[in-house]
Amino acid sequence: MQTNETKNAGVSGFFGRMIRKQVMIPLAALLLLFLFNLIMDPSFFKIELGYNSAGNPVLSGFLITILDSGSELAILAIGMTLVTAATGGQDISVGATTAIAGSVLLRVLCGTNSRPETLQAPIIVAFLAACVVAMLFGAFNGVLVAVFKIQPMIATLILYTAGRSIAAWINNNELPVVSDESLTYFGEFIPGIPIPTPFFIAVACMIVIGLVLKFTNLRLYTQAVGINENSSKLNGLNPVFIKILSFVILGLCVAVVGLIKVARISTINYSVIAKDIEMDAILAVALGGNALSGGKFNMTASIIGAYVIQCLTTTLYKFQVRSDALPAYKAIVVIVLVIVSAPVVREKFNAFMAKRKVKEAA
């Protein structure tokens, strides 16, 4: 029969193991947000099956909104995690580069006519063109960081400043509109499937990056370069290539988000598309418990962190927080979550749990 001391030790050991698991931090944050909404307004969890203008069944509700909009952020979090781990810095140009990718996509689809009656090229061709351009801009950022040793946030400030102007220049400052309904399938719903397509796209990206990290040395090489660049070089790695590769992968993620963004409205607004999304992507990485100084990372935690950020945003909108005040409320909550998830806090908690375990054993 267990004594109270044994039971307490088992409970404390259980919670200690849970805290030490990095993925539990964003999960705990998500649980707290769900609990808050459950207490304040249980209708937050209501999901309804309705029909869109085309007569196709679609699901609606706050949870569906989180899955839908959060998927874009989750895709960006994949690339941002690799960049952060390899370089110890962040790319603040992903919003502007998304505008460039979306602009290229529309340019290929519309050709020289900004209002074509039919697509001038297959969607897959336009998407591949957007991928190539976004990856090239990613490589540009990577070269500045890896070759010229410019701090990532400063290096990416160039595209952050000029990216939206480049996007507008690609289409001669026009706003192309695609009338073909097939494009909207990538940003809304596939006929007959009531779950938003962006969620399936995000799941596909998660599967791909999961397989890459499992069956290649990308995780090991990225972490090695982020932890100690000089040491990794002595062990035969090429830090310059690894850093550039991380930015190129982020560029690919940006192109996917660009497709989703453009597909939602069949056009583009250069100044608004993906505005401030880079900040949410960085917060998702931080909320996942990943050190922003680089090194070891947990991709799963970053992806969950992305959905936590979107859940927070949706919750604030639900309670009618003014759009101009939204960043302030979000910043307060995020600061608390990031501090709780900080490695130093986890280390002190682990030390506290270890001391308590010693005392209980004595």
Side-chain angles (χ1 to χ4, degrees), residues 225-238:
V225 170
I227 293 172
N228 192 317
E229 181 177 342
N230 293 328
S231 177
S232 65
K233 189 182 299 183
L234 293 175
N235 283 281
L237 299 183
N238 186 342

Side-chain angles (χ1 to χ4, degrees), residues 149-178:
K149 307 297 181 183
I150 301 176
Q151 206 279 335
M153 196 165 289
I154 302 301
T156 56
L157 183 62
I158 297 172
L159 280 180
Y160 174 82
T161 304
R164 298 183 186 276
S165 297
I166 295 173
W169 170 78
I170 291 172
N171 281 296
N172 300 315
N173 291 312
E174 296 179 344
L175 300 178
V177 177
V178 176

Side-chain angles (χ1 to χ4, degrees), residues 49-77:
L49 178 63
Y51 296 88
N52 59 15
S53 57
N56 296 311
V58 296
L59 292 174
S60 62
F62 292 109
L63 294 181
I64 300 300
T65 299
I66 294 170
L67 285 181
D68 187 10
S69 300
S71 295
E72 300 174 3
L73 195 55
I75 295 169
L76 285 181

